[in-house]
Amino acid sequence: MTGQDGPRRGRGRRPADEVRGEVLAAAGDLLLAEGMAGFTFERVSAISGASRTTLHKWWPSRGALALEAYFRTVESTLAFPDTGDIAADLTEQVRAFVRLMTETPAGRVIAELIGSAQTDPELAAAYRENYSAPRRALAVTAVEAARDRGQVRDDVDAEAVVDQLWGACYHRLLIPDQPLTEDFAGTLVDQLVHGIGRR
Amino acid sequence: MTGQDGPRRGRGRRPADEVRGEVLAAAGDLLLAEGMAGFTFERVSAISGASRTTLHKWWPSRGALALEAYFRTVESTLAFPDTGDIAADLTEQVRAFVRLMTETPAGRVIAELIGSAQTDPELAAAYRENYSAPRRALAVTAVEAARDRGQVRDDVDAEAVVDQLWGACYHRLLIPDQPLTEDFAGTLVDQLVHGIGRR
């Protein structure tokens, strides 16, 4: 229970989980609307109604709060399809990821978070723990299931597949020499599944 | 000619190119020794003997100076081999890149530069112009030459190959969920050249 630190909307005490969920939803909206520049405990407190004391109790830094809010917000968009056809599933998922990065402010937010993480070890650890490691695990599980169904090579390195698909997209997001597009997503999967070497 | 702004070592006026080369060498040494944290115009001036006025005249920001110094320092390490065997050449080049990123302070420096570039448009532009675009072009040329020799698919997307090999390495450098190793470099080339799909 959050007691006096809960939302001040005259509704009395509510379960901490409920308050936490509301804070994360409000924080996610703020983050996607304005990016990291406008993202402060003070504004999240004002928008969500939760006190700054509560926010500081639950999240050690604005980076940690931003990360969790980001993850909750994009989680449903990034659900991993499982149709039994690994090439189609990978293409669909990487395309959805590209849309999220390019058609919403999520791309700018995640680029700023990764950028800040390069000189902020706590943020880097929170990023890996709350976001990148669990998302990587989802993709690895899908690739390994495809291997078990006989759709990909027995000796596939599923971790490296993550870097060659989503990592390739992050590369264009962070160093935009070339455009990040849905066609690019399709090309990544095609080249990795079929290989670029002549047969 | 740099005139009064040249190095103050009592050797009189020297060609600007010579002074510039010395500054970049000194700046590169400082950068690889201490990373971006200790990299300032003041220290580069003290080490190189060039006045701060000269440094500011040639480089608009410490980021721009750091980038050019970095590029000059690692250029020879990152030469692109051309043995006529594209898989071997790619493996050798990506492994050399991984060694540079993991066995020298270059990895930390480049991660900090990419990180800062996310909120510094001038640094981002300088990074692409002075470093990432020319290096990308070298790799694309090598892949297209291999295509013309018949070693890779006619419809290969050489730009995407860059993202699926070096981009995959940058992904592990910037978001270190998994280790960046020479074995990983070999796996990247193998999976991309031969494909992960069952034949």
Side-chain angles (χ1 to χ4, degrees):
Chain A
M1 297 296 288
T2 57
Q4 68 198 39
D5 290 331
R8 298 159 301 194
R9 286 177 185 156
R11 281 179 272 168
R13 293 189 178 192
R14 291 181 303 129
D17 276 0
E18 194 182 311
V19 177
R20 214 167 187 285
E22 283 184 9
V23 170
L24 287 170
D29 289 345
L30 175 63
L31 196 58
L32 291 197
E34 308 196 8
M36 281 298 284
F39 191 85
T40 61
F41 275 122
E42 191 167 3
R43 294 198 58 195
V44 174
S45 170
I47 294 172
S48 68
S51 73
R52 290 179 62 179
T53 309
T54 297
L55 300 186
H56 281 286
K57 193 171 65 185
W58 284 338
W59 294 280
S61 67
R62 75 180 191 118
L65 172 53
L67 266 173
E68 194 172 342
Y70 177 83
F71 186 52
R72 288 264 190 126
T73 306
V74 304
E75 201 168 16
S76 60
T77 312
L78 293 179
F80 215 102
D82 181 10
T83 66
D85 176 345
I86 188 66
D89 287 352
L90 289 173
T91 301
E92 178 50 35
Q93 216 290 334
V94 180
R95 287 173 69 109
F97 175 68
V98 167
R99 284 195 299 274
L100 180 71
M101 292 297 110
T102 55
E103 293 174 10
T104 78
R108 186 168 47 95
V109 170
I110 203 82
E112 288 178 10
L113 285 169
I114 296 170
S116 301
Q118 302 314 311
T119 49
D120 181 342
E122 273 189 25
L123 179 61
Y127 182 90
R128 293 200 300 274
E129 189 179 327
N130 294 310
Y131 184 67
S132 60
R135 290 216 49 81
R136 178 180 271 277
L138 284 177
V140 165
T141 300
V143 172
E144 290 180 343
R147 177 199 61 201
D148 296 343
R149 286 195 305 265
Q151 292 186 324
V152 299
R153 279 161 54 172
D154 284 338
D155 65 346
V156 68
D157 184 330
E159 294 286 357
V161 167
V162 175
D163 301 290
Q164 294 188 280
L165 298 179
W166 292 270
C169 293
Y170 278 109
H171 188 232
R172 291 201 175 186
L173 177 72
L174 296 167
I175 309 169
D177 285 311
Q178 291 285 317
L180 181 55
T181 63
E182 289 192 59
D183 281 353
F184 172 65
T187 298
L188 293 176
V189 176
D190 173 60
Q191 295 198 151
L192 186 61
V193 170
H194 301 296
I196 62 168
R198 269 202 186 276
R199 304 206 171 183
Chain B
M1 297 296 289
T2 58
Q4 70 199 38
D5 289 331
R8 298 160 302 198
R9 286 178 184 154
R11 282 180 272 167
R13 293 187 178 195
R14 290 181 303 128
D17 275 0
E18 194 181 314
V19 177
R20 213 169 188 284
E22 282 184 10
V23 170
L24 288 170
D29 289 346
L30 176 62
L31 196 59
L32 291 197
E34 308 197 8
M36 281 297 284
F39 191 85
T40 61
F41 275 124
E42 191 167 2
R43 293 198 59 196
V44 174
S45 170
I47 295 172
S48 68
S51 73
R52 289 178 63 178
T53 309
T54 296
L55 300 186
H56 281 286
K57 192 171 64 185
W58 285 338
W59 295 280
S61 67
R62 75 180 191 117
L65 172 54
L67 266 173
E68 194 172 342
Y70 178 83
F71 186 52
R72 287 264 191 127
T73 305
V74 304
E75 201 167 15
S76 60
T77 312
L78 293 179
F80 216 104
D82 181 10
T83 65
D85 175 345
I86 189 65
D89 287 351
L90 289 173
T91 301
E92 178 51 36
Q93 217 290 332
V94 181
R95 287 172 69 110
F97 175 67
V98 168
R99 283 195 300 273
L100 180 70
M101 292 296 110
T102 56
E103 293 175 8
T104 77
R108 186 167 49 92
V109 170
I110 203 82
E112 289 178 9
L113 285 169
I114 295 170
S116 301
Q118 302 313 311
T119 49
D120 181 341
E122 274 189 25
L123 178 61
Y127 182 90
R128 293 200 301 275
E129 189 179 327
N130 293 309
Y131 184 67
S132 60
R135 289 217 48 82
R136 178 180 271 277
L138 284 177
V140 165
T141 299
V143 172
E144 290 180 346
R147 178 199 61 201
D148 295 344
R149 286 194 304 266
Q151 293 186 323
V152 298
R153 281 161 52 173
D154 284 338
D155 65 347
V156 68
D157 184 330
E159 294 285 357
V161 167
V162 176
D163 301 291
Q164 295 188 280
L165 298 179
W166 293 270
C169 294
Y170 279 108
H171 188 231
R172 291 201 174 186
L173 177 73
L174 297 167
I175 309 169
D177 284 312
Q178 290 285 318
L180 180 56
T181 64
E182 290 192 58
D183 280 354
F184 172 65
T187 299
L188 292 176
V189 176
D190 173 61
Q191 294 200 151
L192 186 60
V193 170
H194 301 295
I196 62 167
R198 268 200 187 277
R199 305 209 170 179

